[in-house]
Amino acid sequence: MTILARPPEKITAKKEQRRRGVTERQRPLWLLTPGGVLMVLVILIPLAVALWISLIDLDQYTLRRWVEAPFIGLDNFVEAFGSGLLNSIWISVSFSVLSTIATVPIGIAAALVTQNKFRGRGLVRAVFLIPYVLPSFVVATVWRTMLQPDGVVNAWLSKVGIEGGLWLTGPRSYWALILVEIWAAWPFIYLMALAALQSVDHEVHEASAVDGAPWWPKLYRVILPYLRGPVLLACLLATLNHINNFTLPFVLFGAPAPEDVNVMPMIVYVTSFQSLRFGLSAAMAVLSLVLIAIPLFVYLRAVRLDVHEEGGRR
Amino acid sequence: MNPKKLTALAGVAALALALAACGGGDEGGEGGAGKTLNVLIAANTQYPDEFAAWQKDVSAKFKARTGAEVKFETFASANDELTKIQTSVVSGSGPDVYAVGTTFTPTAYSTGAFVKLGDEEWNKIGGKDKFNPATLGISGPDEQNQVGIPWVSRPFVMAYNTDMLKAAGIDKPATTWDELGQQAKQMTKGDEFGLAIAYKDNFDPWKFVWGMSVQAGNPLVDGKTAKLQDPTVQKAYDTYFGWLTRDKVVDPAAVGWTNPQAVAAFAKGKTGYFMLTTPTAINSLEQGAVKGKWKFALLPTVPPGATTRPADGVEAASILSGDNLLVADYSKNKDLAFEYVKLVTDQETQLDYYKKFGNLPANAAALQTLASDPQLGPVTEAAQKSVATPFTGAWGDIQLALTNVAVQSLPDLGKGSISTQQIDSRIADAQKAAQTALDRAK
């Protein structure tokens, strides 16, 4: 038996070896070339140039011969920290996290509401997407008009006996920014939550129905765990989007921005295009890139979005 | 072939192709009449059709004169233009002629990318004498180093409501800032206000502060020293904010106004003066309730707190505002470029441009023909009494710092009061920013 059993084993081993050889050694990697070249051209080279610019004293006076601009090491980074960047980082991060925290319950609730079929569901779903598909510029312009001292918002507030005041300058501008960002960004969470809801197997609903689970435990213990992964990913992406949002604060408040909403993209913009300190602004941009990379890295390590491994398991 | 080698080869090939594509931007080249001149000019969103027609017209005239084509490229905002200048300056190719705003001219000059104008160049365009002398004030740091050729003027003036002034018993518009404040008080009652001011505008506030300081004898920049921490500047901000907080002659909603909103407020016919406007606002005013009941006047030229201008004060009616034409240093068509400049600064072309778009001629003879127009009289006078802002590459930053004082003070204005200490500490910040910028200036 044992003697008879050996030869087939050998054959499979050989076969497997050959197959692995094909997949690993002779994979047609060159097919990645177009994408690779594009990545080098569009991402890596500009990134390298940005890093280089952050190390030289590039401004309007040296722009013409930028290759010869004096190398000043980390001076730009030192100056960046001295010129209000830390404050901007704090504003950016707190604004982004608050906006994300506020949009999650709204997004999930909206997804749950439109999960079951009812008349006009398609319409409701479409309406929910309006804030998301409107260009940021339009959203900001409309809100800027509404938030004027003598605008619609203050008129409504005064009807219920609340004194509106200034929304686009001073400490309140921070909350105005968060409010508008929430208005514009919650449909993203909604979309991701909706997609996750639709991936819940039909059997799960049936099983909880058979067990007679009331709606709340069903929602809390059965459905929401399904949403965890996609919504966490949505939170990460949304937060990064908030941090990077330039159009909204720029159109809402203009440049120079009130100190309370001097977010990172604004300070980089003003340094670059109004003060023409390209080296300094590149250093600021590099720092904000590092800042954004940290949560991204942590998240990617945590969830291990390794498709290959997962595919192998299945 | 080894896949790795193949990958590398493909990569190099693609890179070379892409770089070749980037490099091929020059048009015209060596070809006599077949040449093309590239001109970068601000887009005109107010009169787009007329602007297209004007471009066509100028192209035809230019072709008749030189045989070459003009290709216009437009930019929507100052930032677009800056980006274009940056990329052109770095790559050494791009438009041959740039139309650049006056306050941006020092910045453009500091890049060193434009032709310095000697006698030969000035002669090519018909001589320096053909321009309104005031407009040459921001062509360069000194007579030997000029790059900007005046093209159009947009001097700032104020508009006043003739009916409201008359009703308040005022027979002529104010010529000193104190008088202005006094008249504004006389006209403020009920829902009527003395002044319309765009406090939240990102460009207006510094013009008031600069004007009042220059009239009091402080040009804000003295060589390499910023002079923002100065009683004249302090007084200027105090007056400017005081109209709202102390005199209460401005609608409290003005804390949120940009310049177009202030125009709209004045056009309703319930405001005595609209400070800081240009002839481009004529259309908006003529469409409002104020139609036929308004006139332009020179901005006051006697500093706040004074009845006559001090000896070292300058009669600055407006910042020197408008557009200059700059010829790129890298241009291969410099002769054609100067031909174009000559064409568009000639009397006939300048008057035509004024009629279409409301920008005043920089050409002295053309400007003179408009002086007799009663509506434009004060504007042409303002064009002659315009004073250039300091010619330094740091001016952009100084302007920004001055505006920032106003921006950061808005919450206090909204509450209705601002203290001298608050103003002083913000001016101190501005002084620091301005001095840093001047220290970097080369």
Side-chain angles (χ1 to χ4, degrees), chain A residues 230-296:
Chain A
V231 169
L232 268 182
L233 177 65
C235 283
L236 178 84
L237 294 177
T239 310
L240 296 183
N241 264 333
H242 300 326
I243 289 193
N244 278 332
N245 197 342
F246 168 71
T247 317
L248 202 58
F250 181 69
V251 179
L252 270 180
F253 310 109
E259 273 157 11
D260 309 87
V261 283
N262 208 1
V263 288
M264 274 192 313
M266 283 297 283
I267 193 173
V268 171
Y269 167 83
V270 169
T271 310
S272 204
F273 296 107
Q274 298 205 330
S275 295
L276 313 175
R277 298 282 309 276
F278 307 109
L280 180 59
S281 68
M284 289 174 170
V286 167
L287 286 172
S288 63
L289 180 72
V290 171
L291 185 79
I292 287 172
I294 295 170
L296 191 66

Side-chain angles (χ1 to χ4, degrees), chain A residues 33 37 41 57 59-61 64 66 148 150 166 169-170 253-259 269-270 273-278, chain B residues 10-11 14-15 79 82 86 89-90 107 110-112 200 202 256 261 329 393-394 397 400 404 408 410-411 440-442:
Chain A
T33 316
V37 168
L41 277 178
D57 188 13
D59 58 13
Q60 52 183 312
Y61 308 103
R64 194 169 176 213
W66 70 282
Q148 289 291 318
D150 51 354
L166 299 178
T169 55
F253 310 109
E259 273 157 11
Y269 167 83
V270 169
F273 296 107
Q274 298 205 330
S275 295
L276 313 175
R277 298 282 309 276
F278 307 109
Chain B
L15 196 65
N79 293 325
L82 184 59
Q86 281 165 11
V89 161
V90 170
T107 305
S110 68
T111 64
K200 200 179 185 319
N202 285 325
Q261 287 170 286
D329 198 22
D397 263 343
L400 189 68
N404 202 36
Q408 306 306 342
L410 289 177
R440 298 182 55 83
K442 278 156 204 156

Side-chain angles (χ1 to χ4, degrees), chain B residues 340-359:
Chain B
Y340 169 81
V341 173
K342 183 173 189 311
L343 172 67
V344 296
T345 52
D346 277 350
Q347 181 171 348
E348 187 197 342
T349 331
Q350 291 253 295
L351 278 173
D352 176 56
Y353 195 79
Y354 163 73
K355 274 176 203 133
K356 288 193 169 101
F357 310 110
N359 284 276

